[in-house]
Amino acid sequence: MLFRKHTRRPLVAPIALSALSAVALIGITAGPSQAATRPAWADTSSLSVRVHGLNSGAGQRYATVILTNKTHRAVRTQGYVGLQLLDSHGRNVTTRVVRDHGKVGAITLGPGQSAYTRLHWGAVPAAGEPTKAEKNPARLEVTPPDAYRHLNTAWKLGEVLQKGRIDITPLVKGTGPTA
């Protein structure tokens, strides 16, 4: 019986690997930059905000927060906005934002186009919560995804009970439902 010693040979010779690496790098650097072809990221300087109240149910309230591109160029965004309720003196009102597990997708907004998120909150007090909220919100701060600054808009939708809990969805292109 003959025994053969098995040796492993490299699948690609080192010289061929170097040549492949060089070709790959040339292709990456010689082609157009993806960053140059994509619209800029939307921030507070390129967006305006408004809140639109929707039909409510027993003890439930709904609204949309709509971000609109106010520039003359396309911008992009994706994900969830940040929210903070304020009283009439600009002080924080208890706000606890809870993100749903909706599908997050990239959105490109042309000039004048909008994206929205749907809000849901309770109008029935939680256990141990006063029947009326201690502070009535008057304004809403909205922070666009991946932004550090916020936009302000009036809040005319009443109290947010359940200890300030507001459920939100990820941004979707459009202005959302009207009722």
Side-chain angles (χ1 to χ4, degrees):
M1 184 181 257
L2 291 172
F3 291 100
R4 279 192 164 171
K5 193 174 196 179
H6 292 286
T7 58
R8 290 194 170 157
R9 294 184 181 171
L11 294 175
V12 180
I15 294 172
L17 277 176
S18 296
L20 285 173
S21 298
V23 169
L25 286 174
I26 290 169
I28 290 172
T29 57
S33 168
Q34 278 189 342
T37 60
R38 287 193 319 208
W41 193 258
D43 61 14
T44 54
S45 67
S46 60
L47 299 170
S48 64
V49 65
R50 65 187 164 104
V51 176
H52 175 72
L54 301 173
N55 291 337
S56 58
Q60 309 296 311
R61 302 292 181 262
Y62 299 91
T64 55
V65 169
I66 303 162
L67 298 175
T68 302
N69 178 1
K70 65 181 186 179
T71 70
H72 298 290
R73 59 182 167 71
V75 295
R76 63 188 169 94
T77 189
Q78 72 179 42
Y80 296 86
V81 298
L83 301 174
Q84 177 62 55
L85 293 166
L86 304 170
D87 68 13
S88 59
H89 301 288
R91 293 182 296 239
N92 289 349
V93 172
T94 302
T95 309
R96 187 169 53 100
V97 176
V98 179
R99 296 175 175 183
D100 82 349
H101 297 291
K103 183 179 178 185
V104 173
I107 301 169
T108 299
L109 300 175
Q113 291 184 323
S114 301
Y116 75 96
T117 180
R118 187 180 62 96
L119 310 183
H120 165 257
W121 67 96
V124 175
E129 188 173 45
T131 348
K132 290 283 185 187
E134 293 172 7
K135 296 177 183 175
N136 199 12
R139 302 210 48 81
L140 178 67
E141 283 183 353
V142 179
T143 307
D146 294 329
Y148 294 102
R149 293 187 171 154
H150 54 265
L151 300 162
N152 280 307
T153 189
W155 179 265
K156 297 178 182 180
L157 301 172
E159 300 163 328
V160 178
L161 298 177
Q162 302 291 319
K163 301 181 181 176
R165 179 182 173 140
I166 301 175
D167 299 315
I168 66 169
T169 60
L171 286 170
V172 178
K173 194 168 186 175
T175 56
T178 57

